[in-house]
């Protein structure tokens, strides 16, 4: 089963390598991963998507927690949360297709962030399935390049 | 107080209570070595290979119950430590390893003797550090010792660039260490303790399964109290030997692949397994689905990730073994439902059954009049040292015979590379153990194959006047692999005969040590007696039965009840 795990880490060199090394060394899988600094400069937040049965996920969270640089591990499956991915897509956009591309992008609430005579660069955010859906729709028109982030996840509500 | 980084390094070691360090100098750490000449409080032991420094530090720490320390240079010095570090990691041994590093400005430039040792050792250390700034030097060293000795102990590596130890730093007195991310749980949850104790009260066929964590936590006496109070039979892992007295009537010896028949049968038939500081290694469990299939499992471990990693646990207790078992003893002492007599009556049938198993297949071997059996040598060593020696082992048959036939009654008397299984561990470990306990008899039980992996340390033993005794069980084979080849590869002895071996007696003499040899059973006792009264390093070369095997044996991947018995 797919799990999204959020990990707060000390923001130091080599910490990400400890996390990824743990996964490769123990034969766990990383489906996607994204990491950046948080409000606190010396703390990073890493969102990691992985899959496995209950026992594997339990080991993943325990082993992550055991790393000395890890502050907190949250399995998002245990919390009501919001999850997003982002993709930037360079799509062929010539005279005949420009209008159709714009229409699709509009439907998906995407944004054109770069225009050239023969292509657009489109930015789209949403759940994994939504991002996949726009890719599927745009593919027949002619996708030239795609870059995607891993998932980001945050719990709903606020802990005040 | 302003001082040079190297001076601060020495001061930090002293303040951490370090008395002996094992190491090998080189260009990157020359400043540290220079500084070591200025202190009388630290003894440096110059080994002949860096791997030996780490094994020696490992055993030194284990005997003393403290953190072992090794110091080596950058590049090859550092990479040579990896096996020793990995061994200490598998066995949860508290240790700090210092490696030299090229100056910070050269890091990443493929400089001479540069290696990313922090990257290399990341998976085999509890934690590791590269000290990039002089101001981080002292706090890092202190944190490294704190991490090594607290929680689940383990090796910590600190990589020291040459310019950092050459820079000026400000030395301040140590303060208690607070880490935002690291707070091991020592105290057990009282609710879980109660659950465990109630389960013990109900059990008719309980088994106590003692691991190395009991020794690490200094909980041997407390565990013994629990076993005796409740009249529970005890089995130990390789790392747990000495965690409960091996000659006690409740002891069933070791379990697992080369465990006793009765320990394995007891675990397979028990209704409650109480694991204290053991991690359910595959060498213990055999086929997982057939391991303790009828039992409720209580698991006491300081490391939450060990719980339910290999087997499903019914009552987990995350805590230090000493604290947890102390709480259990107290619970029984206060409980109205508990009486010693009732416990004894309740387990009567169970003990009877175990006795029957014991009588059916006791631990033993077939004696022969003209050829030395390795088990006989170990038994004689036990007898002539009255079971009081510190025993180290190499890895293989020698290790298992030592585990089976030297009945350890006290903790911190058996040093072996359990988890990683390092050939070449025993001899440097014996040197480390002897440095920690100069007055005790220290014996390395070795094979002719594994002793050759760190034989160069004879020079170290001689230089520091370590009168360690090496008992080579010499069968001219890599014996354990040969045994597997005999059983599972149709006796195709692919590269296990050691066709050329040194004359160990002459080799000992070449280093200024003493060499003795026994070829017949009648020569065993005189050789051991001679060795024990010799104040020098001694090699005893026991020419043993060539094709002797270690039994019982559970073939890898089988259930522990599917034992081969001689």
């Amino acid at each position: 089963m797919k799990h999204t795990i959020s990990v707060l880490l000390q923001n130091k060199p080599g910490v990400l390598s400890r996390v990824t090394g743990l996964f490769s060394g123990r034969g766990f899988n990383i489906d996607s991963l994204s990491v950046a600094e948080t409000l606190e400069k010396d703390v990073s937040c890493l969102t990691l998507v992985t899959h496995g049965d209950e026992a594997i996920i339990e080991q993943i969270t325990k082993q992550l927690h055991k790393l000395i640089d890890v502050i907190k591990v949250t399995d998002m499956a245990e919390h009501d949360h919001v999850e997003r991915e982002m993709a930037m897509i360079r799509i062929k956009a010539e005279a005949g297709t420009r209008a159709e591309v714009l229409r699709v992008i509009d439907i998906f609430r995407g944004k054109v962030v770069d225009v050239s005579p023969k292509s657009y660069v489109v930015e789209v955010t949403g759940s994994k399935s939504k991002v996949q859906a726009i890719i599927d729709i745009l593919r027949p028109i002619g996708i030239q390049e795609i870059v995607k982030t891993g998932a980001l996840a945050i719990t709903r509500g606020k802990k005040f | 107080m302003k001082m040079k980084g190297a001076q601060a390094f020495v001061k930090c070691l002293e303040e951490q209570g370090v008395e002996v360090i094992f190491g090998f100098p080189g260009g990157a750490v020359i400043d540290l070595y220079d500084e070591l000449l200025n202190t009388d409080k630290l003894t440096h032991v110059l080994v002949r290979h860096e791997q030996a420094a780490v094994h020696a530090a490992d055993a030194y720490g284990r005997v003393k119950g403290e953190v072992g320390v090794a110091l080596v240079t950058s590049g090859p010095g550092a990479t040579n430590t990896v096996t020793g570090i990995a061994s200490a990691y598998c066995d949860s041994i508290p240790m700090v390893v210092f490696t030299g590093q090229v100056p910070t400005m050269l890091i990443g430039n493929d400089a001479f003797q540069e290696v990313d040792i922090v990257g290399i050792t990341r998976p085999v250390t509890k934690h590791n550090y590269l000290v990039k700034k002089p101001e981080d030097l002292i706090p890092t060293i202190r944190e490294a010792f704190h991490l090594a000795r607290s929680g689940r102990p383990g090796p910590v590596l600190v990589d020291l660039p040459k310019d950092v130890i050459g820079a000026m730093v400000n030395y301040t007195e140590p303060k208690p260490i607070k880490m935002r991310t690291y707070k091991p749980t020592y105290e057990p949850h009282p609710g879980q303790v109660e659950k465990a104790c109630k389960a013990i009260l109900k059990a008719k066929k309980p088994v106590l399964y003692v691991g190395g964590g009991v020794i690490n936590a200094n909980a041997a006496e407390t565990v013994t109290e629990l076993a005796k109070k409740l009249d529970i039979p005890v089995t130990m892992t390789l790392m747990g030997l000495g965690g409960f007295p091996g000659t006690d009537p409740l002891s069933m010896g070791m379990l697992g692949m080369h465990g006793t028949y009765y320990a394995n049968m007891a675990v397979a038939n028990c209704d409650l397994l109480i694991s204290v500081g053991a991690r359910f290694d595959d060498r213990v469990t055999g086929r997982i689905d057939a391991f303790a299939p009828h039992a409720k499992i209580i698991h006491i471990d300081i490391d939450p990730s060990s719980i339910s990693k290999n087997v499903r646990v019914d009552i987990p207790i995350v805590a230090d073994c000493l604290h947890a078992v102390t709480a259990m003893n107290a619970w029984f002492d206060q409980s109205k439902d508990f009486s010693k007599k009732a416990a004894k009556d309740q387990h009567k049938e169970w003990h009877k059954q175990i006795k029957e198993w014991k009588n059916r297949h006791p631990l033993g071997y077939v004696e022969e009049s003209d050829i030395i059996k390795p088990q006989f040598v170990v038994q004689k060593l036990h007898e002539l040292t009255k079971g009081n020696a510190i025993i180290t082992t190499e890895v293989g048959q020698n290790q298992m015979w030592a585990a089976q036939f030297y009945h350890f009654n006290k903790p911190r008397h058996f040093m072996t590379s359990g988890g990683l299984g390092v050939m070449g561990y025993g001899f440097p470990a014996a040197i480390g153990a002897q440095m920690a306990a100069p007055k005790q008899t220290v014996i390395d039980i070795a094979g002719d194959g594994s002793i050759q992996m760190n034989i160069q340390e004879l020079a170290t033993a001689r230089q520091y006047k370590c009168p360690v005794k090496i008992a080579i069980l010499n069968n001219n084979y890599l014996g354990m692999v040969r045994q597997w080849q005999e059983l599972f590869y149709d006796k195709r002895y692919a590269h296990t005969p050691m066709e050329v071996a040194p004359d160990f007696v002459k080799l000992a003499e070449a280093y200024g040590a003493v060499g003795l040899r026994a070829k017949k059973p009648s020569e065993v006792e005189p050789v051991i007696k001679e060795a024990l009264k010799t104040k020098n390093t001694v090699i005893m070369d026991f020419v043993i039965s060539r094709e002797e095997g270690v039994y019982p044996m559970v073939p890898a991947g089988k259930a522990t009840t599917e034992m081969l018995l001689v």
Side-chain angles (χ1 to χ4, degrees):
Chain A
M1 202 184 131
K2 184 181 91 79
H3 276 250
T4 305
I5 295 170
S6 172
V7 189
L8 285 183
L9 304 159
Q10 304 261 47
N11 187 4
K12 284 192 212 159
V15 177
L16 183 60
S17 160
R18 287 185 201 281
V19 173
T20 52
L22 175 100
F23 274 74
S24 59
R26 293 194 181 264
F28 304 142
N29 241 314
I30 297 178
D31 297 342
S32 84
L33 185 153
S34 60
V35 56
E37 201 176 289
T38 61
L39 275 177
E40 276 181 80
K41 247 187 148 38
D42 54 356
V43 176
S44 299
C45 180
L46 181 153
T47 310
L48 192 149
V49 181
T50 184
H51 61 268
D53 60 23
E54 210 177 303
I56 289 176
I57 300 297
E58 183 182 335
Q59 265 305 304
I60 288 176
T61 51
K62 280 177 171 175
Q63 294 290 349
L64 279 170
H65 198 76
K66 200 163 119 180
L67 293 177
I68 305 293
D69 287 323
V70 166
I71 300 165
K72 195 177 172 195
V73 181
T74 312
D75 182 354
M76 286 296 181
E78 292 161 13
H79 302 271
D80 194 8
H81 70 283
V82 189
E83 217 172 295
R84 289 287 179 273
E85 270 182 25
M86 173 175 170
M88 290 202 278
I89 307 162
R90 186 189 318 284
I91 171 94
K92 210 157 93 183
E94 290 167 345
T97 56
R98 284 180 98 87
E100 191 191 345
V101 169
L102 286 179
R103 215 166 32 242
V104 172
I105 292 165
D106 191 42
I107 293 167
F108 282 89
R109 280 180 238 145
K111 217 164 51 179
V112 176
V113 291
D114 181 63
V115 180
S116 79
K118 291 192 169 175
S119 67
Y120 289 139
V121 173
V122 176
E123 169 198 306
V124 61
T125 60
S127 64
K128 192 179 174 65
S129 58
K130 176 184 159 185
V131 172
Q132 192 54 50
I134 188 170
I135 291 169
D136 290 345
I137 303 259
L138 290 179
R139 185 171 281 138
I141 300 169
I143 294 176
Q144 293 171 333
E145 194 182 348
I146 291 180
V147 286
K148 284 203 291 182
T149 65
L152 289 179
I154 193 165
T155 52
R156 286 185 188 274
K158 196 72 187 130
K159 294 167 191 159
F160 282 119
Chain B
M1 201 193 327
K2 285 266 182 203
M3 59 177 74
K4 221 174 111 179
Q7 204 182 344
F9 167 83
V10 169
K11 228 173 143 41
C12 282
L13 294 196
E14 288 172 2
E15 102 202 353
Q16 296 294 326
V18 178
E19 290 168 0
V20 179
I21 60 177
F22 301 86
F24 200 100
V29 285
I30 202 162
D31 286 2
L32 297 179
Y33 272 85
D34 189 62
E35 200 53 48
L36 284 173
L37 288 185
N38 295 336
T39 173
D40 299 331
K41 292 184 192 153
L42 290 176
T43 302
H44 177 272
V45 176
L46 173 69
V47 293
R48 298 305 189 261
H49 187 292
E50 289 88 349
Q51 184 191 345
V54 183
H55 293 323
D58 173 319
Y60 178 90
R62 280 162 86 165
V63 170
K64 281 230 164 187
E66 289 168 8
V67 180
V69 180
L71 166 63
V72 300
T73 194
S74 64
T79 52
N80 276 346
T81 64
V82 173
T83 302
I85 293 173
S87 178
Y89 182 66
C90 289
D91 291 342
S92 305
I93 305 302
M95 182 192 290
V96 177
V97 176
F98 293 100
T99 48
Q101 183 55 278
V102 301
T104 45
M105 56 184 272
L106 289 182
I107 291 178
N109 288 1
D110 302 328
F112 175 65
Q113 292 198 330
E114 182 198 351
V115 76
D116 173 16
I117 195 63
V118 168
I120 290 172
T121 58
R122 205 168 273 142
V124 292
T125 46
K126 181 170 175 183
H127 196 57
N128 59 14
Y129 301 88
L130 166 63
V131 184
K132 276 193 167 163
K133 292 181 281 184
E135 61 266 34
D136 292 342
L137 176 68
I138 294 169
T140 305
I141 294 174
R142 288 173 179 163
E143 207 170 276
F145 275 90
H146 174 67
L147 285 178
R149 63 164 68 101
S150 61
R152 176 178 181 171
V156 178
L157 181 135
V158 184
D159 200 22
L160 301 167
K162 192 170 163 68
D163 55 328
V164 169
I165 48 183
M168 294 304 284
V169 297
N170 191 22
Y171 180 86
T172 51
E173 291 302 314
K175 286 185 214 137
I177 292 189
K178 275 191 201 147
M179 292 174 72
R180 173 177 187 180
T181 61
Y182 176 73
K183 292 174 190 105
T185 308
Y186 286 93
E187 291 304 327
H189 188 282
Q192 294 299 95
V193 169
E194 182 166 359
K195 252 194 215 169
C197 291
K198 284 186 172 165
I200 294 174
L201 276 185
K202 265 198 233 152
K204 291 206 165 73
K205 298 189 282 183
V207 167
L208 197 58
Y209 155 47
V210 168
V214 167
I215 293 169
N216 272 340
N218 295 317
E221 273 182 37
T222 316
V223 168
T224 305
E225 183 191 333
L226 180 75
K228 292 195 169 176
K229 198 193 301 274
L230 276 299
D231 196 38
I232 303 175
V234 183
T235 181
M236 286 151 280
T237 68
L238 182 69
M239 294 302 293
L241 291 175
F244 181 83
T247 53
D248 191 280
L250 286 173
S251 167
M252 300 187 289
M254 190 167 71
L255 79 165
M257 183 175 272
H258 292 296
T260 62
Y261 173 79
Y262 35 101
N264 282 338
M265 291 305 285
V267 171
N269 289 282
C270 68
D271 62 357
L272 180 73
L273 187 68
I274 309 147
S275 165
V276 194
R279 63 191 173 92
F280 298 88
D281 181 83
D282 60 284
R283 284 294 189 264
V284 157
T285 60
R287 192 154 53 84
I288 285 278
D289 57 335
F291 179 75
H294 315 294
K296 239 187 181 187
I297 296 181
I298 299 171
H299 188 178
I300 301 170
D301 205 299
I302 195 154
D303 177 5
S305 73
S306 274
I307 286 170
S308 290
K309 185 169 67 185
N310 299 331
V311 300
R312 168 200 51 80
V313 171
D314 300 285
I315 306 172
I317 301 180
V318 176
D320 177 86
C321 292
L322 180 64
H323 294 229
V325 181
T326 303
M328 285 162 83
N329 279 330
W331 190 93
F332 287 115
D333 290 343
Q334 286 157 15
S335 168
K336 284 177 210 135
D337 302 329
F338 166 72
S339 84
K340 272 191 175 183
K341 195 187 165 298
K344 241 188 160 94
D345 289 345
Q346 193 164 313
H347 303 155
K348 214 176 196 169
E349 282 300 307
W350 183 227
H351 282 292
K352 212 173 116 194
Q353 169 71 72
I354 291 169
K355 205 167 176 191
E356 210 180 295
W357 284 323
K358 219 173 203 169
N359 292 338
R360 198 183 306 165
H361 295 294
L363 199 57
Y365 59 96
V366 181
E367 278 181 90
E368 282 178 52
S369 60
D370 55 342
I371 193 140
I372 302 175
K373 288 296 180 95
Q375 301 92 333
F376 173 72
V377 176
V378 178
Q379 273 182 339
K380 276 284 161 200
L381 286 169
H382 180 262
E383 184 189 316
L384 296 170
T385 56
K386 301 188 177 67
N388 285 324
I390 294 176
I391 301 292
T392 69
T393 75
E394 305 293 338
V395 164
Q397 290 184 315
N398 59 82
Q399 180 184 32
M400 291 301 125
W401 286 320
Q404 290 176 336
F405 291 92
Y406 199 100
H407 306 284
F408 298 91
N409 277 330
K410 283 179 273 187
R412 304 195 185 280
H413 277 64
F414 182 51
M415 313 291 138
T416 194
S417 170
L420 194 67
V422 180
M423 290 173 74
Y425 171 87
F427 181 31
I431 295 171
Q434 190 79 80
M435 292 300 294
K439 290 192 179 143
Q440 266 191 282
T441 301
V442 179
I443 304 172
D444 171 30
I445 296 181
D448 53 301
S450 40
I451 191 64
Q452 291 184 64
M453 285 220 174
N454 271 318
I455 192 90
Q456 76 287 345
E457 297 308 317
L458 275 169
T460 309
R462 290 278 300 127
Q463 183 169 340
Y464 296 90
K465 299 191 169 47
C466 286
V468 299
K469 318 297 175 214
I470 304 160
I472 301 177
L473 305 175
N474 190 346
N475 56 9
N476 276 115
Y477 271 124
L478 296 174
M480 190 59 101
V481 181
R482 187 211 58 76
Q483 181 173 339
W484 285 45
Q485 289 168 335
E486 177 190 327
L487 296 170
F488 314 117
Y489 291 84
D490 204 18
K491 293 198 176 185
R492 283 158 57 86
Y493 294 160
H495 302 282
T496 45
M498 299 288 271
E499 281 157 13
V500 173
D503 178 330
F504 289 110
V505 172
K506 283 188 186 159
L507 184 80
E509 286 163 1
Y511 278 97
V514 174
L516 303 168
R517 179 170 292 128
K519 287 182 170 174
K520 289 185 292 190
S522 60
E523 292 167 352
V524 171
E525 189 165 326
V527 160
I528 296 174
K529 280 186 171 163
E530 177 67 25
L532 290 177
K533 70 173 191 227
T534 304
K535 296 214 158 35
N536 198 342
T537 310
V538 181
I539 287 185
M540 296 174 267
D541 186 22
F542 296 103
V543 180
I544 60 159
S545 157
R546 278 207 86 192
E547 300 204 346
E548 187 67 20
V550 181
Y551 294 101
M553 177 181 187
V554 178
K558 296 270 185 174
T560 49
T561 45
E562 298 174 83
M563 281 167 275
L564 306 174
L565 299 153
V566 188

